Amino acid sequence: MVAGAGIQNFHSEYRNDPVVRELRRVRELNARSYANDYSHVFRTKSRWDFVRISFVIMGMEFVYSAETAFVSPILLGIGVEHQLMTLVWAISPLIGFFLAPILGTISDHCRSSLGRRRPVLIGLAVTLVLGCILVPYGENFGHWFGDLGEIFPEVTSDDSGVTESARSNRTIPRAYEFYAVDNQIMEHEMHYKWAIFFTILGTLLLDFSADTCQTPARAYLLDVCLPEDHGRACATFSIMAGIGGCVGYLLGGINWDNTTFGELLGGSIKTVFTIVAVIFIICLILTTTSFREIPLPLMEKDELLRPLTESIIQKERNKLNDKIYYIKDVSKTFAQQLQTTIDNQNGSPPQLISNALSEVEKGANGHTSSDELVNVEEEEKSTTLVDFLKSIFMMPKSIALLCLTNLLCWMGHLSFCLYFTDFVGEEVFKGNPAAASISEDYQNYLHGVRYGCFGLAIYSLACSGYSFIIEKLIKVLRARIVYCGGLLIDAIGMYCMAIWPNKITVFVFSGTGGIVYALLFTMPFLLLGQYHAKGQFKSHKPGRPEVPEKKRGLAMDIAVVGGMIFVAQIIVSLGIGFVITLLGTTAAVIYAAGTFSFLAAIAATQVVYMDL
């Protein structure tokens, strides 16, 4: 195809093909005949429809913004060391790496009346909300189980040097008082045994659920949209993610301690987590009530409810090409009138016309032979554990390349976002998260964390802006240039921020991280949608070419490619603490982000782009 016209030609191939239009028309009419109208699955959707489906990812990004901004400061603030904190970030992805693809397979074969994706999405949402409760309120749960909290020496002198706002930064047992001598905080101890347990547990639930929720959410989006709409759908998905992240980080940048609402909920961090949890629940409801999914049992009974794939379209074309009598643009009404007029005449033309129309109608309605139905049913059987493992470790080369690129992208992105607020608090504002909560060093650190939230808001805003134009950029520049170029821009931005850590570079170069996030949300899943729509992975059993093997499930492939976030987080979490110690600065995380983005750009040059 002509350079820059890949997506446009692919779209027109489906929209202008009379065979495809007829197959979709028949499927839409059939889907509308059910008590629960499923015809929307076979219709082109508006931008507002994509927004409705994508509300859930906006809610997830609200939660994710609170997690990335505050979990590291919370853990450091209750006495968890840097290296132990990074290990905590590694536990959740280690679990998710094995569970996420399994959940994707479960989603592919879920037989609920709600559909295949939404039940899994709702189940993960429950654990996500539980994590939103445990992370900010871990200290409170710890006190209920006997934690003493932050302990300062008892005083016999006046403690007027300590403000009430400083006192309220921690929940401290009333049996202990604290004071400042010459503006220096006396030595203090921390007793957060149970608080650490509940906070880490909440972090695991929150991090695992926030990452894993994206698989059924994306599969749901692609299931209810036509293949030619996948580009706009993925772009809208990414735009909504950027909006959610931007507003979420702005919420984190507000000092809620000085508001009535903040005082009621117990401080800034607790207020932010409460707000984002409520927003997520609302967004989840808006998405799950937007469009019905076709339940799997119905799809098994009625093949006209199954997705219209490239192989089905080609099969219908072959049937039409084999007809001796091919009737073009003859309506059923005209054919019926013709047959009525000469019905009783002796001669073959009416019968030939009737037979031809019957064959065409049979093909258009998707009826197949019993052998073909057996083959289709074989493809839909549940995947065994062996098949599942083969799908991961014996994946096609195109998916393997996509996984490698996605892995490096996530390694760069996670190095940036998980430790960014800590980097700003320590390197830019010269704060200390391990200092006493009423010390100037700790207050500077908190100011840096809030300032970092505004930098992350810029990054999320850039994500939405780039997502809005990414489809147009792909049409003009081709997907390869957009993918590789965006990653190179991010690598340059990260290096500049690490070399010159100040307030200006935090704002200016945070936006380059948004480009990577937009690519992470768009390119891998746009390509996967094209792979499956084109029948890229449908093979045949050796010696029996007429019997297809079980094809790869879309949700399972989304889980495998999307699951690179877990591998990336394991690698980054296990290694970043050592790198920080080696370089002696938290700027190491930003250097790492730039390096991984550069390597991802190199890997992206080898990805299969399917004429995009």
Side-chain angles (χ1 to χ4, degrees):
M1 293 185 178
V2 179
I7 291 179
Q8 185 175 359
N9 289 344
F10 178 74
H11 289 183
S12 62
E13 175 186 340
Y14 279 84
R15 288 178 177 146
N16 300 327
D17 191 324
V19 175
V20 175
R21 289 204 308 268
E22 177 63 14
L23 290 175
R24 282 199 181 138
R25 185 189 69 81
V26 171
R27 279 161 170 74
E28 184 178 343
L29 290 174
N30 177 69
R32 188 178 291 123
S33 66
Y34 284 83
N36 293 324
D37 186 358
Y38 301 113
S39 59
H40 55 267
V41 175
F42 303 101
R43 291 199 305 264
T44 298
K45 292 180 173 55
S46 66
R47 179 70 74 174
W48 170 242
D49 291 333
F50 297 140
V51 169
R52 291 169 64 193
I53 304 170
S54 302
F55 266 121
V56 67
I57 194 61
M58 185 177 76
M60 287 182 206
E61 286 302 306
F62 269 98
V63 175
Y64 194 66
S65 66
E67 178 194 7
T68 55
F70 294 117
V71 168
S72 291
I74 288 173
L75 291 173
L76 292 171
I78 58 177
V80 179
E81 298 293 336
H82 265 100
Q83 289 193 340
L84 180 58
M85 178 196 71
T86 58
L87 289 176
V88 170
W89 283 117
I91 299 174
S92 171
L94 185 62
I95 299 172
F97 176 71
F98 293 100
L99 286 186
I102 293 175
L103 289 175
T105 304
I106 291 173
S107 174
D108 278 333
H109 300 94
C110 178
R111 305 181 69 82
S112 169
S113 60
L114 291 176
R116 294 184 292 170
R117 318 304 183 189
R118 290 183 294 175
V120 177
L121 184 60
I122 292 171
L124 289 169
V126 173
T127 57
L128 185 144
V129 173
L130 181 59
C132 284
I133 296 172
L134 288 177
V135 168
Y137 291 95
E139 289 187 36
N140 298 77
F141 289 116
H143 286 306
W144 294 347
F145 280 80
D147 281 354
L148 298 178
E150 192 173 16
I151 306 172
F152 290 88
E154 296 184 12
V155 291
T156 56
S157 59
D158 182 35
D159 64 343
S160 58
V162 180
T163 64
E164 283 301 318
S165 62
R167 289 176 180 273
S168 64
N169 278 317
R170 285 253 183 250
T171 304
I172 300 174
R174 294 184 179 274
Y176 296 90
E177 293 292 343
F178 47 88
Y179 61 100
V181 178
D182 296 329
N183 293 325
Q184 296 296 318
I185 303 302
M186 298 296 292
E187 187 69 24
H188 68 294
E189 297 179 3
M190 292 186 179
H191 189 273
Y192 286 115
K193 179 181 176 181
W194 284 103
I196 291 174
F197 169 77
F198 285 113
T199 305
I200 290 177
L201 177 61
T203 300
L204 298 181
L205 291 174
L206 179 58
D207 193 47
F208 170 77
S209 302
D211 291 336
T212 312
C213 269
Q214 296 183 23
T215 295
R218 285 195 180 96
Y220 174 54
L221 174 75
L222 298 179
D223 279 350
V224 298
C225 296
L226 297 176
E228 59 264 37
D229 288 336
H230 284 176
R232 284 199 305 154
C234 289
T236 305
F237 202 72
S238 186
I239 291 170
M240 295 293 286
I243 293 173
C246 180
V247 179
Y249 287 121
L250 288 175
L251 289 174
I254 299 173
N255 187 359
W256 294 93
D257 289 331
N258 299 326
T259 66
T260 303
F261 191 52
E263 291 178 359
L264 179 65
L265 292 177
S268 285
I269 293 178
K270 294 174 183 176
T271 302
V272 171
F273 272 96
T274 301
I275 292 174
V276 300
V278 172
I279 291 174
F280 171 74
I281 293 172
I282 294 173
C283 290
L284 176 70
I285 294 172
L286 290 174
T287 290
T288 53
T289 57
S290 60
F291 291 100
R292 295 186 186 93
E293 291 183 78
I294 303 177
L296 183 59
L298 282 182
M299 294 175 67
E300 291 175 342
K301 293 178 181 178
D302 188 349
E303 62 190 79
L304 292 182
L305 293 177
R306 297 171 187 167
L308 186 59
T309 63
E310 180 74 12
S311 59
I312 295 176
I313 296 170
Q314 188 59 46
K315 187 181 297 183
E316 296 305 320
R317 288 199 186 102
N318 293 338
K319 286 183 179 180
L320 292 177
N321 291 336
D322 290 338
K323 299 292 185 258
I324 297 176
Y325 297 95
Y326 179 73
I327 301 174
K328 182 178 180 181
D329 295 331
V330 178
S331 68
K332 292 183 179 180
T333 303
F334 175 78
Q336 290 172 355
Q337 290 175 350
L338 178 62
Q339 187 168 359
T340 301
T341 303
I342 54 177
D343 185 56
N344 295 323
Q345 297 181 8
N346 295 325
S348 59
Q351 187 62 40
L352 292 173
I353 291 175
S354 179
N355 291 342
L357 284 174
S358 297
E359 291 297 323
V360 172
E361 183 178 359
K362 178 181 178 182
N365 282 279
H367 294 304
T368 57
S369 68
S370 58
D371 291 338
E372 290 171 334
L373 286 176
V374 170
N375 294 339
V376 171
E377 289 174 0
E378 184 179 343
E379 290 181 4
E380 298 295 334
K381 287 180 182 178
S382 298
T383 306
T384 66
L385 179 59
V386 174
D387 294 330
F388 169 69
L389 293 176
K390 283 182 179 180
S391 70
I392 298 177
F393 298 106
M394 299 178 65
M395 64 180 69
K397 182 179 178 180
S398 55
I399 291 189
L401 290 169
L402 200 57
C403 283
L404 175 61
T405 305
N406 209 37
L407 171 64
L408 293 169
C409 284
W410 274 116
M411 289 174 69
H413 175 70
L414 291 173
S415 298
F416 165 72
C417 69
L418 290 184
Y419 308 104
F420 180 71
T421 54
D422 183 50
F423 159 75
V424 177
E426 293 194 46
E427 294 299 319
V428 178
F429 281 75
K430 307 304 179 183
N432 182 6
S437 61
I438 55 174
S439 67
E440 184 178 353
D441 285 346
Y442 187 77
Q443 296 305 313
N444 287 339
Y445 179 76
L446 290 182
H447 290 321
V449 169
R450 285 194 288 268
Y451 190 87
C453 287
F454 289 117
L456 290 173
I458 297 294
Y459 128 86
S460 295
L461 191 62
C463 173
S464 287
Y466 195 73
S467 300
F468 189 75
I469 63 172
I470 193 169
E471 191 176 11
K472 295 183 177 66
L473 289 176
I474 292 174
K475 290 180 180 179
V476 174
L477 302 176
R478 298 297 296 268
R480 188 186 304 274
I481 295 176
V482 173
Y483 209 177
C484 301
L487 292 169
L488 284 175
I489 291 173
D490 178 64
I492 295 171
M494 292 297 107
Y495 282 132
C496 290
M497 191 190 304
I499 294 171
W500 300 290
N502 57 64
K503 294 181 180 180
I504 296 176
T505 56
V506 164
F507 261 70
V508 173
F509 295 112
S510 290
T512 64
I515 295 176
V516 174
Y517 207 36
L519 292 172
L520 282 167
F521 265 81
T522 306
M523 290 301 299
F525 308 102
L526 174 60
L527 291 172
L528 277 179
Q530 302 303 298
Y531 293 166
H532 280 267
K534 288 286 189 178
Q536 178 82 351
F537 311 125
K538 190 172 182 180
S539 57
H540 293 84
K541 293 182 179 180
R544 298 183 64 190
E546 75 282 358
V547 181
E549 289 182 344
K550 298 175 186 176
K551 63 181 180 180
R552 300 179 65 90
L554 176 60
M556 184 170 63
D557 279 340
I558 290 176
V560 171
V561 175
M564 292 301 103
I565 184 177
F566 299 117
V567 182
Q569 194 168 331
I570 292 170
I571 296 172
V572 170
S573 299
L574 293 177
I576 204 68
F578 171 76
V579 176
I580 292 174
T581 302
L582 181 66
L583 298 182
T585 172
T586 53
V589 299
I590 308 301
Y591 281 114
T595 301
F596 290 132
S597 289
F598 178 73
L599 295 175
I602 296 175
T605 62
Q606 304 302 311
V607 168
V608 179
Y609 288 95
M610 298 291 292
D611 296 325
L612 291 183

